[in-house]
Amino acid sequence: MEGDLDSLDRVFAPDVVVHTAPDAQSRGADVFRAVIAAWLSAFSDLHHDIDDLVEAPDQVVVRWHGSGTHTGEFSGIAPTGRPMSYWGMTWCRLSGGLVAEAWVAANVDEIVAALTAEP
């Protein structure tokens, strides 16, 4: 499944709602697919590991961490070749066996700071 964006259709509902900030949300698997594609373009060796996974009826909570090398544009920052690492948590509401809604919290600001810091 790694790098296979078509596999998202087996995980996310077509009208999935993804919350990334208190007042920010995206709707639709295609929007989520585009976000993931942008991350894969910015960090060509992007890799994630699951640290903890908690299941409840119609819910899954995942604590994870990721890493990669900045090889493409990210948030308006030209490629630096620098390694980055970050962590986060995702809380998913399931419906019909698919993720219908997700709340994602990650330390993306630290990625930006690391990529723009003076060497």
Side-chain angles (χ1 to χ4, degrees):
M1 185 160 119
E2 189 171 327
D4 177 12
L5 296 179
D6 291 333
S7 65
L8 295 175
D9 295 334
R10 296 190 307 266
V11 178
F12 296 96
D15 59 346
V16 63
V17 177
V18 179
H19 305 269
T20 54
D23 295 325
Q25 69 179 20
S26 302
R27 180 177 296 275
D30 289 339
V31 173
F32 196 56
R33 183 179 282 105
V35 169
I36 292 172
W39 276 77
L40 290 170
S41 176
F43 306 100
S44 58
D45 59 348
L46 186 65
H47 176 80
H48 291 90
D49 289 304
I50 295 174
D51 299 315
D52 288 301
L53 183 117
V54 178
E55 298 177 72
D58 299 325
Q59 298 180 48
V60 174
V61 181
V62 182
R63 185 175 64 86
W64 49 265
H65 68 275
S67 61
T69 306
H70 185 214
T71 56
E73 184 177 320
F74 177 74
S75 291
I77 304 167
T80 63
R82 293 181 182 176
M84 70 83 186
S85 61
Y86 73 126
W87 50 264
M89 295 182 99
T90 305
W91 187 312
C92 300
R93 180 180 61 80
L94 308 175
S95 178
L98 299 173
V99 175
E101 196 164 11
W103 290 262
V104 181
N107 66 331
V108 176
D109 291 343
E110 289 182 29
I111 297 172
V112 172
L115 298 180
T116 57
E118 293 295 321

